[in-house]
Amino acid sequence: MKGLFGPDSILMKFFTTFFHLVVLNFFTLLLCIPVVTAGAAFTALHYMMLKIVRDEESYIVKGYFKSFKENFKQATLLWLPIAVFFFAALFDTYFMRSQPQYASKPVAIFLVVGFIIVLFVTMWAFPLLSHFCYDSVADVFKNSFLLSISHFPRTCLMALMTIAPLILVYFKPYQSLSFVVILGISLPAWGCAYLYSSVFKAMEPDDEGDEIEESAKVIENLDKKSASEDTDKKN
């Protein structure tokens, strides 16, 4: 029993992760209510999710709001065009369904294709911004698009996990409401973090390699300096 409830036991890790997901879901849902702050909320969520997946987390709430504050400006600039497109697509879809006489097949195809592309890019955009430093939002969009294509199966799975709670709400609004409030945002993000963690690992700088390279440069400079001093003595 002692081993079952030990701090490193599988059961305790499960309960700890569950608690962290509930807390992060609450803050993300709360900060999504103003809409404008949703981008920073998603970025902070993925910042903590990667730490949880890699067993690097320490203070969940403190780390969440640290990322929220540091990435607020870029995350908001990243979120605004995404939000505008999604809201416009939803409005056009609702309009065409309520007014069939104005429905247009080319417009419908454009909306579907555009929705899929923007959704796929979004799957990588906020995780990228949360983990890597970027000078411009355009670079985030570009790299997100490239990653969504180069890791297409992962992107599809990430998208399915993300929209699954929305589908539940659409078909079973009352039955799924409690799930969305408790885990509807954080649980899909946690699953996505497992998928993009290895991709990010390959993109991260090799600290050990950098240190070795830097040491080699220092040794080379010292050898040159020593050789120069020996030449001066001989002269």
Side-chain angles (χ1 to χ4, degrees), residues 215-232:
S215 299
K217 289 181 179 178
V218 172
I219 294 172
E220 184 180 354
N221 291 333
L222 287 173
D223 289 340
K224 288 181 179 179
K225 184 177 180 181
S226 178
S228 177
E229 289 176 354
D230 290 340
T231 303
D232 293 339

Side-chain angles (χ1 to χ4, degrees), residues 155-173:
T155 306
C156 292
L157 190 54
M158 289 162 62
L160 285 173
M161 287 190 294
T162 302
I163 65 174
L166 298 177
I167 297 173
L168 282 175
V169 171
Y170 181 80
F171 288 104
K172 301 286 185 179

